[in-house]
Amino acid sequence: MDSKNQKIIEDAVRTILTAVGEDVNREGLLETPERVAKMYAEVFGAVNTDFTNFTVFDSTEDDVDQEVITVKKIPFYSMCEHHLLPFFGEVSLAYIPNDGKIVGLSKVPRLIGHVAKKPNVQERLTSEVAQKLDELIHPKGIAIVVRARHMCMEMRGVRSVGNITETTYYMGEFKGDLAKQSLFLQQA
C-alpha cells in the first residue's frame, strides 16, 4: 500500500473513532490509525494482485492420475465484505491430477491464503480457490469444503456464538458424483 492510501485509511479511522465518541488523542488510541492502516495492507494484500507463487510438477508416477490428492484442515482468515469483520476457519481440498500435473503441497495453503486476503464472502472464496486451482493445473476433478466462523454473526446482529458455516464446490469428476462427494466430505 502506498503512503497516500495509508494516510487515507488513517484519516478514516480517526473519523470513525471520533464519530463513535472516542478521543483520538487519548494515549491508547494515538497509534491506532497507523496500526489499522498497516493491518489493512496485510489482510487485504491480495486486492488487485495475481497469484504467481505456484509451481506445477510433472509426476513420474504412472498411476497419479487415478489418485485423489487431499489437503485437509488448512486454516485461513478473511474479512467479510459486508461488515469488514473477520471470518475464519479451515479449508479441505481434493483434486484428481490430469496428465501427471500435481502441485507442491505447500502451494495449496498459499493459494487459499492469497484468495482470502481481500474483502470476501465465504461462498466466493470457496469457488474461487477451486477455479484458480483449475486454471493452474486443469485436474480431472476438484472438491473443496470451507468451514468457518463469522464475527459479523457473533459480535453483532444475532450474536450467535460458535456457529460454523459450511460451503462446498465441486468441479469435473466430483460434480454430480454423489458417492465421490460423500467420501470427500467424510474424509475432510
Side-chain angles (χ1 to χ4, degrees):
M1 178 182 306
D2 63 28
S3 60
K4 178 183 173 191
N5 286 330
Q6 181 159 341
K7 173 87 169 85
I8 290 169
I9 292 171
E10 289 174 15
D11 291 344
V13 169
R14 282 186 197 88
T15 299
I16 290 168
L17 289 169
T18 301
V20 299
E22 274 291 352
D23 175 6
V24 294
N25 296 311
R26 176 167 68 78
E27 183 178 342
L29 293 177
L30 286 174
E31 295 178 23
T32 298
E34 182 181 342
R35 286 186 197 112
V36 171
K38 286 180 180 178
M39 181 219 22
Y40 279 180
E42 183 178 339
V43 299
F44 297 138
V47 174
N48 297 321
T49 65
D50 288 327
F51 185 70
T52 57
N53 189 12
F54 209 81
T55 304
V56 176
F57 298 102
D58 288 316
S59 175
T60 58
E61 300 295 322
D62 291 334
D63 61 350
V64 72
D65 289 353
Q66 306 305 314
E67 300 296 323
V68 176
I69 297 171
T70 304
V71 186
K72 299 181 197 179
K73 298 185 178 184
I74 303 160
F76 80 93
Y77 304 87
S78 194
M79 294 287 266
C80 165
E81 68 184 31
H82 300 131
H83 300 98
L84 293 182
L85 288 170
F87 68 97
F88 60 93
E90 296 178 337
V91 177
S92 292
L93 180 144
Y95 72 94
I96 303 168
N98 189 18
D99 292 329
K101 302 286 189 226
I102 59 173
V103 298
L105 295 178
S106 69
K107 303 309 183 199
V108 175
R110 288 181 192 200
L111 173 62
I112 292 163
H114 176 80
V115 172
K117 285 189 172 188
K118 60 185 170 185
N120 249 314
V121 293
Q122 182 174 332
E123 297 85 348
R124 184 174 56 244
L125 183 144
T126 305
S127 62
E128 189 174 338
V129 168
Q131 290 164 0
K132 292 274 187 200
L133 184 63
D134 186 57
E135 288 172 20
L136 293 163
I137 62 170
H138 312 292
K140 292 179 183 177
I142 298 173
I144 181 171
V145 60
V146 177
R147 296 177 177 110
R149 290 177 56 191
H150 292 253
M151 293 300 99
C152 58
M153 284 178 47
E154 295 192 26
M155 295 175 62
R156 54 156 302 283
V158 298
R159 293 192 177 116
S160 184
V161 177
N163 291 315
I164 304 293
T165 300
E166 182 174 293
T167 50
T168 56
Y169 191 84
Y170 303 103
M171 299 178 77
E173 290 185 14
F174 284 100
K175 191 174 182 87
D177 187 329
L178 296 179
K180 278 188 175 142
Q181 292 174 15
S182 179
L183 182 60
F184 167 70
L185 290 174
Q186 287 172 16
Q187 295 175 348

